[in-house]
Amino acid sequence: MSTPATERDPRRGALVARLGRFLPPDALVTDPVGLRAFETDGLTMHRRLPMVVALPGSRDEVSQILRVCADLEVPVVPRGAGTGLSGGALPLEDGVSLGLSRMNRILEVDVANRCVVAQPGVPNLAISEAVAGYGLYYAPDPSSQIACSIGGNVAENSGGVHCLKYGLTTNNLLGVEIVLMSGEVVRLGGKHADAGHYDLLGLVTGSEGLLGVITEVTVRVLPRPETARALLLGFPSNEAAGACVAAVIAAGIVPAGMEMMDRLAVRAAEAHCHPGYPEDSQALLIVEVDGPEVEVDALVERITALARGEGATSVRASTSEAERQRFWKGRKAAFPAVGRLSPDYYCMDGTIPRGRLPEVLAKIGEMSESCGLAVANVFHAGDGNLHPLILYDASDPEQIERAEAFGADILRLCVQVGGVLTGEHGVGVEKRDLMPEMFSETDLRVQQRLKCAFDPEGRMNPGKVFPTLHRCVEEGRTHVHAGEVRFPDLPRF
Ligand SMILES: Cc1cc2nc3c(=O)[nH]c(=O)nc-3n(C[C@H](O)[C@H](O)[C@H](O)COP(=O)(O)OP(=O)(O)OC[C@H]3O[C@@H](n4cnc5c(N)ncnc54)[C@H](O)[C@@H]3O)c2cc1C
């Protein structure tokens, strides 16, 4: 039997020996069976075994691991819970996958300053659970929130159902601690609202593990609204539902969430968990409003009138908390529910100006017919953040190719109508080669110069986000050090 590629690398022996000096034996995974658990993330089309997996339990261990890797010139892929949908945590055969799942403690609940300090491996939902007793919660709520880590949320700038009103991770993040590839520890932001100087915290948010390893996160938590009610609005077409989204926003209403599901997704959710959705509708909107009771009741009436004006065929507003939860149940379970329709699905993530929703949804329907793969649409309509789920069978290589080509065409369409390649799932390996659709060569080189400032040797998650990685020496010298950033010789483009 031939030796697996991960074991052939000449640096492997020295790496394992040096990491084994300070990591406990169960924090170092080297056997092929154990490595298999880390071969992919939520983008399961791509799989690769890492050379080694390291599972540090503290910031100091992260720093030591990075120093060893820098010394041996081994690249590193940070990994949270591995729920990412763009292949950001896809391992490298010649690299270390650095899993943060053991750093899963909430370090501080600071009610007076309305914030929580957590290690990166804490699941998103655990933050809300930790402050629930104080009437507080953490607003960004990805549908994966039981599993995904807060470090992964920062690295992807994750969103969720309630981000329309309360913002994405970046709008709820106060501070981070990151460890650079050199092992150096840098703290950005803190419990205070704004930091002076360059917005390096903004830069780290959404950086997809390319700049450093996030080892601590401070997030803002909010008081739970007094009341929340959800409306279920059924429409005769996707276009009519899209027009209703535009009408609600144009009326100056900011719902807490405004989600859309098309007929296929509604049927799958109904069969999966019976939330009571109107199955005769071609498209469903779930609109939630929250705040003081009188305001919420008035908004429910206004949205009902707007929906009827756009041809809604069914309108129901929740009258109890149990009913509101039931309305959301089908939406929250929509991805697994769609798994009942087809062996595999490929979740896309492009964002468009909301006013273009009707035409883009119609065009996706035409593209689906011409390529012969069905699409279920479940998405954050209020943000214009589309999630077409392309149904395919991964056991057929020809279908994989067709699904990927169809997905790329959807993302090109998003850019053509004035949108962007990703709303919340990141670029990773999935959208890397589409970056030039949106950015010029100069844009990409400037972005890369920022990476070079944090990671001059290009060892932190290489092969992700940038279609071509230029060597940092070509990009000029810029370095971030703890507490300061120096830009001595910015080149002109
Ligand atoms: C069913 C399902 C539903 C989903 N719904 C949503 C949704 O509603 N909204 C949404 O935004 N996303 C959603 N996602 C995508 C995913 O859950 C998010 O992107 C999430 O933030 C990833 O977190 P993770 O801990 O799993 O990160 P991983 O998948 O492990 O990693 C994601 C990226 O972050 C980097 N990274 C992870 N941890 C760190 C760290 N500590 N330091 C530096 N870099 C790090 C990795 O290198 C990688 O590039 C969904 C996924 C699934 C499977």
Side-chain angles (χ1 to χ4, degrees):
M1 216 169 70
S2 65
T3 322
T6 51
E7 291 179 22
R8 284 199 298 264
D9 194 299
R11 295 163 301 177
R12 187 170 179 275
L15 179 71
V16 172
R18 286 182 61 181
L19 295 181
R21 278 185 214 149
F22 58 89
L23 285 177
D26 66 349
L28 204 50
V29 184
T30 55
D31 67 294
V33 176
L35 293 176
R36 187 68 63 196
F38 298 87
E39 68 178 350
T40 187
D41 60 4
L43 185 71
T44 52
M45 282 168 172
H46 297 258
R47 289 168 193 270
R48 203 186 282 144
L49 287 189
M51 180 158 70
V52 166
V53 172
L55 301 168
S58 67
R59 189 261 324 268
D60 290 346
E61 284 183 359
V62 171
S63 176
Q64 278 177 285
I65 293 168
L66 294 182
R67 281 183 207 280
V68 169
C69 290
D71 203 25
L72 296 173
E73 303 186 358
V74 170
V76 173
V77 178
R79 184 182 178 95
T83 68
L85 291 169
S86 57
L90 180 72
L92 295 167
E93 275 178 356
D94 63 346
V96 169
S97 278
L98 195 151
L100 282 309
S101 58
R102 291 186 176 195
M103 293 180 65
N104 59 2
R105 280 185 306 120
I106 294 207
L107 301 173
E108 189 185 355
V109 171
D110 183 344
V111 176
N113 284 304
R114 291 236 178 103
C115 65
V116 169
V117 183
Q119 288 187 319
V122 169
N124 169 296
L125 189 61
I127 296 181
S128 288
E129 287 170 349
V131 294
Y134 302 99
L136 301 170
Y137 76 115
Y138 177 59
D141 54 347
S143 305
S144 52
Q145 67 181 152
I146 330 172
C148 65
S149 72
I150 191 68
N153 289 179
V154 173
E156 295 288 13
N157 189 20
S158 295
V161 164
H162 289 94
C163 290
L164 176 59
K165 183 167 177 182
Y166 296 104
L168 296 148
T169 304
T170 190
N171 308 105
N172 293 274
L173 182 69
L174 294 171
V176 290
E177 175 188 83
I178 60 169
V179 185
L180 304 183
M181 192 67 217
S182 59
E184 196 176 358
V185 178
V186 178
R187 295 189 73 89
L188 303 170
K191 290 183 179 177
H192 44 87
D194 285 306
H197 220 281
Y198 298 110
D199 181 14
L200 296 181
L201 184 59
L203 200 59
V204 168
T205 316
S207 60
E208 302 194 27
L210 267 69
L211 304 185
V213 178
I214 299 158
T215 46
E216 189 187 290
V217 176
T218 304
V219 290
R220 174 185 292 127
V221 284
L222 303 175
R224 279 232 169 259
E226 181 189 307
T227 324
R229 290 180 71 191
L231 289 120
L232 276 190
L233 308 171
F235 290 88
S237 66
N238 286 342
E239 291 75 11
C244 181
V245 172
V248 170
I249 299 291
I253 299 170
V254 185
M258 185 148 52
E259 299 286 301
M260 183 165 155
M261 297 167 71
D262 68 7
R263 186 178 168 76
L264 205 52
V266 165
R267 286 189 159 186
E270 200 48 45
H272 183 68
C273 58
H274 322 295
Y277 290 164
E279 285 193 77
D280 55 339
S281 306
Q282 293 298 320
L284 180 75
L285 283 185
I286 310 174
V287 185
E288 181 160 298
V289 280
D290 64 11
E293 197 171 336
V294 283
E295 183 188 332
V296 167
D297 291 347
L299 286 174
V300 166
E301 272 180 37
R302 283 181 68 197
I303 294 169
T304 300
L306 288 165
R308 293 209 191 282
E310 297 298 339
T313 46
S314 96
V315 176
R316 271 160 53 203
S318 65
T319 52
S320 67
E321 180 57 16
E323 193 176 22
R324 182 183 79 85
Q325 295 284 358
R326 187 161 53 75
F327 285 2
W328 280 116
K329 192 173 159 194
R331 167 60 185 93
K332 295 251 173 186
F335 284 18
V338 165
R340 298 166 72 100
L341 301 178
S342 144
D344 300 278
Y345 65 83
Y346 179 24
C347 176
M348 306 310 302
D349 163 49
T351 298
I352 57 168
R354 286 174 288 230
R356 308 293 292 264
L357 273 174
E359 100 192 57
V360 169
L361 290 173
K363 184 83 185 135
I364 291 174
E366 286 165 25
M367 289 155 83
S368 157
E369 273 190 23
S370 69
C371 97
L373 292 177
V375 172
N377 284 290
V378 186
F379 61 96
H380 310 308
D383 302 288
N385 181 199
L386 302 178
H387 289 326
L389 306 176
I390 301 172
L391 309 190
Y392 74 104
D393 181 351
S395 65
D396 176 355
E398 190 274 330
Q399 279 201 37
I400 298 183
E401 243 174 66
R402 227 172 339 135
E404 284 192 308
F406 181 16
D409 285 344
I410 291 176
L411 295 177
R412 283 192 194 98
L413 174 64
C414 292
V415 175
Q416 277 159 21
V417 300
V420 294
L421 284 177
T422 172
E424 54 183 18
H425 295 170
V427 176
V429 289
E430 183 206 22
K431 306 175 190 102
R432 180 191 58 198
D433 297 335
L434 291 170
M435 289 286 273
E437 300 281 335
M438 200 172 135
F439 298 106
S440 69
E441 174 65 16
T442 305
D443 294 333
L444 290 170
R445 290 187 85 123
V446 171
Q447 291 175 24
Q448 210 175 305
R449 284 213 62 219
L450 287 168
K451 174 170 170 56
C452 291
F454 286 77
D455 174 27
E457 307 300 331
R459 298 221 171 86
M460 192 60 82
N461 216 359
K464 316 287 166 66
V465 180
F466 294 108
T468 321
L469 200 60
H470 297 276
R471 292 179 59 227
C472 287
V473 295
E474 295 167 30
E475 305 298 331
R477 289 170 187 282
T478 308
H479 293 284
V480 172
H481 291 285
E484 64 171 320
V485 58
R486 297 192 223 125
F487 292 106
D489 54 354
L490 278 169
R492 293 191 188 88
F493 290 97

